Amino acid sequence: MGDKPIWEQIGSSFVQHYYQLFDTDRTQLGSIYVSICLSVLSTLMQGHWQKSSLPFTKIAHSITAQDHQPTPDSCILSMVVGQLKADDDPIMGFHQSFILKNINEAWVCTNDMFRLALHNFG
Amino acid sequence: MGDKPIWEQIGSSFVQHYYQLFDTDRTQLGSIYVSIVLTEESFQARNVVLYWTFKNLPFTKIAHSITAQDHQPTPDSCILSMVVGQLKADDDPIMGFHQSFILKNINEAWVCTNDMFRLALHNFG
């Protein structure tokens, strides 16, 4: 039939939702995350705080490529390569990875890693 | 004491091993992966496929340079590792790449169950 695998549907749907929220009202991003165990709760709460206090006003993400794979524990690994522009800064490449997990019939984000593709620093 | 968290130790150790193997003899990379499908036959078939996949990549020489790596524990006691770096294949220009791995502890060994790679090429397509 040509339908995409379910992990691609869920992953690409999440990615679209994530960057749309990020670029329009990132203070709402906290709702997509969940803490699975008490030891990472403070990290994720801090992540939410950091997202609303990032050092820019305007941001736009452009996705160059995204990949999605199922993981052994029935999660989804999503990887995004793209470019972003914050305020009047030059366009920069970025790389982001997410892990999505189905909890109580909702897909939530349990891991989020972001890096700018800056190779000439440090 | 200043020790790194265990997932950073395992993740960075894996990343170092992975790129060292890749750059010196990538036909050996098959051994670090595992298929979770629980039959020996499919596991061996997968390793044979990986051997040929890595062997038949369209370059002879390759060198990876890691710019940054990050490691996080996942809800199911796996490790998510993300690498941003640059590579040079044969006489091609240096290119940026992004790679993500999931590591899982199976029978007291950390193996790679997921591997995603992308060149950072934004001007194509």
Side-chain angles (χ1 to χ4, degrees):
Chain A
M1 304 230 174
D3 277 352
K4 287 183 180 176
I6 186 68
W7 57 85
E8 277 198 42
Q9 296 180 37
I10 293 164
S12 54
S13 180
F14 168 83
V15 161
Q16 181 191 18
H17 180 62
Y18 177 92
Y19 290 108
Q20 188 179 354
L21 262 188
F22 202 117
D23 292 351
T24 55
D25 182 7
R26 59 186 183 269
T27 61
Q28 294 190 44
L29 274 171
S31 61
I32 64 171
Y33 294 95
V34 71
S35 72
I36 297 297
C37 61
L38 295 177
S39 66
V40 299
L41 175 61
S42 64
T43 302
L44 289 170
M45 293 287 285
Q46 184 181 20
H48 171 56
W49 174 81
Q50 284 174 350
K51 285 205 187 296
S52 59
S53 62
L54 288 167
F56 49 77
T57 306
K58 255 184 349 185
I59 182 142
H61 293 79
S62 168
I63 296 174
T64 301
Q66 53 179 302
D67 296 288
H68 311 279
Q69 286 179 359
T71 77
D73 303 298
S74 304
C75 293
I76 296 173
L77 170 64
S78 294
M79 190 172 88
V80 176
V81 174
Q83 295 174 300
L84 60 81
K85 185 168 169 59
D87 292 331
D88 296 320
D89 296 344
I91 290 175
M92 289 184 286
F94 76 89
H95 177 204
Q96 194 153 13
S97 297
F98 303 95
I99 289 185
L100 309 179
K101 186 175 173 74
N102 190 307
I103 297 175
N104 296 331
E105 298 181 21
W107 284 93
V108 292
C109 180
T110 61
N111 291 77
D112 174 359
M113 282 178 162
F114 173 89
R115 276 270 176 187
L116 288 172
L118 298 171
H119 300 288
N120 298 324
F121 286 78
Chain B
M1 305 229 176
D3 278 354
K4 287 183 180 174
I6 187 69
W7 57 84
E8 277 199 42
Q9 296 179 36
I10 293 165
S12 53
S13 179
F14 167 82
V15 161
Q16 181 191 18
H17 180 63
Y18 178 91
Y19 291 107
Q20 187 178 354
L21 262 188
F22 203 118
D23 293 351
T24 55
D25 182 6
R26 61 186 184 269
T27 60
Q28 294 189 45
L29 274 170
S31 61
I32 65 170
Y33 293 93
V34 71
S35 157
I36 299 297
V37 176
L38 294 174
T39 68
E40 275 194 11
E41 284 153 356
S42 68
F43 169 65
Q44 287 166 4
R46 182 185 172 90
N47 272 336
V48 168
V49 169
L50 287 173
Y51 171 88
W52 288 109
T53 299
F54 282 107
K55 187 172 169 60
N56 291 331
L57 287 169
F59 49 77
T60 304
K61 255 185 345 180
I62 183 142
H64 293 79
S65 167
I66 296 173
T67 302
Q69 53 179 303
D70 297 287
H71 311 280
Q72 285 181 359
T74 77
D76 303 298
S77 304
C78 293
I79 295 173
L80 170 63
S81 294
M82 192 172 86
V83 176
V84 174
Q86 294 173 299
L87 60 81
K88 186 167 167 62
D90 293 331
D91 297 321
D92 296 342
I94 291 175
M95 289 185 285
F97 75 90
H98 302 283
Q99 195 153 11
S100 297
F101 303 96
I102 289 185
L103 309 179
K104 186 176 173 70
N105 191 308
I106 297 177
N107 296 331
E108 296 180 23
W110 284 92
V111 292
C112 179
T113 61
N114 291 77
D115 174 358
M116 285 177 162
F117 173 89
R118 277 270 176 185
L119 289 172
L121 298 172
H122 300 287
N123 299 323
F124 286 78

